[in-house]
Amino acid sequence: MIETFGLTRKYGKLTAVRNVDLHVPEKTIYGFIGPNGAGKTTTLRMLGTLLRPTDGRILVDGLDPADDPAGVRRRIGFLSDTFGLYDDLLVWEYLEYFCGAHNVEPTTEKIDTILHLVQLYHKRDEYVGRLSRGMRQRLGIARAIVYEPRVLLLDEPASGLDPIARIALRDLLKTLRDRGTTILVSSHILTELSDFCDTVGVMELGRLIAQGSIKEILEQTRTQMRLVLEVLEPKAKAVEALADVPQVVDVAVVKEHIEMGFTGKREDLPAVHKKLVEAGVPVVAFYPKPENLEDLFLRLSTGATN
Ligand code: ATP
């Protein structure tokens, strides 16, 4: 649904986005991740026709913003990281106003349907200025979807939200995806996105350093399995027994358990377990460490920022 080819944007001497090839499949949630200054906002603004690329090409639903900016805008709902709301309007008036701005008939049915969707119907007659931060984010999304765009670009929508508001946002994005919207959502907080994105793109210093499903990228970049061993005290006995296993590397006590790298295969694990038990180690649990988006990012990233 969104593709870029060699997308590049310079600000004077600084190349904020460098040769980026994004591939965002239709009807999916794409998590766009990277630290501050990585070039996420600049990329989103180019996709949203708010900024011209210095070089490269963009296709949104087959349209190039350079040739047909209005066509792209009709297909895209954009919520920037710093959007303003009109605090003195009632919630329903606010949506009515934005329907008008986008040539959408502001019927009561239309407004109420959107308010139900973003779970703000109970605040229909409240002043916008009296909404909580999470509610304001959802109203921002409501505003961006009044004309039912096929693509939604959201810049850091979860920033500053408490866990409950974040769950409400996540559920809303999933609902929109299930209704057929393609969503590109940026964040520098990895855990915000890890449990609901279908695909992720990782940016660093203007480059897209990885792209794909979290599982795919983890598999591509993994050089060794990480294992977790939970034992009763003393841990020293376990560390000693592990030192004898040639495939075990980097053994370390991490909080209440022991972590290690393992260069062997899964099939070799029962033999390691047996060795520990034979050495008299009181094993409580022994398992491959589940990896998440944060592990992936730490492995890929050099930690550099502008
Ligand atoms: P954040 O998470 O902090 O929003 P980001 O990944 O969205 O960061 P961008 O805002 O795209 O990153 O910025 C990328 C780089 O481009 C940064 O070094 C920033 O200082 C620079 N930059 C952004 N906008 C401009 C501008 N209008 N003029 C000059 N430099 C800019």
Coordinates of all heavy atoms in Angstrom, one line a residue, residues 34 141 154 221 244:
G34 N 12.5 3.9 15.9 CA 13.8 4.5 15.9 C 14.0 5.5 17.0 O 13.0 6.1 17.4
I141 N -7.4 10.9 16.2 CA -7.5 9.8 15.2 C -8.9 9.9 14.6 O -9.1 9.8 13.4 CB -7.3 8.5 15.9 CG1 -5.8 8.4 16.3 CG2 -7.6 7.3 14.9 CD1 -5.4 7.1 17.0
L154 N 0.4 7.8 11.7 CA 0.3 8.3 13.1 C 1.7 8.5 13.6 O 2.5 7.6 13.7 CB -0.4 7.3 14.0 CG -1.8 6.9 13.5 CD1 -2.4 5.8 14.4 CD2 -2.7 8.1 13.5
T221 N 18.6 -12.1 12.3 CA 19.7 -11.4 13.0 C 20.3 -12.2 14.2 O 21.3 -11.8 14.7 CB 19.3 -10.0 13.5 OG1 18.2 -10.2 14.4 CG2 18.9 -9.1 12.4
D244 N 31.5 -26.3 31.9 CA 32.0 -27.5 31.2 C 31.3 -27.8 29.9 O 31.6 -28.8 29.2 CB 31.7 -28.7 32.1 CG 32.7 -28.9 33.2 OD1 33.7 -28.2 33.1 OD2 32.5 -29.6 34.2

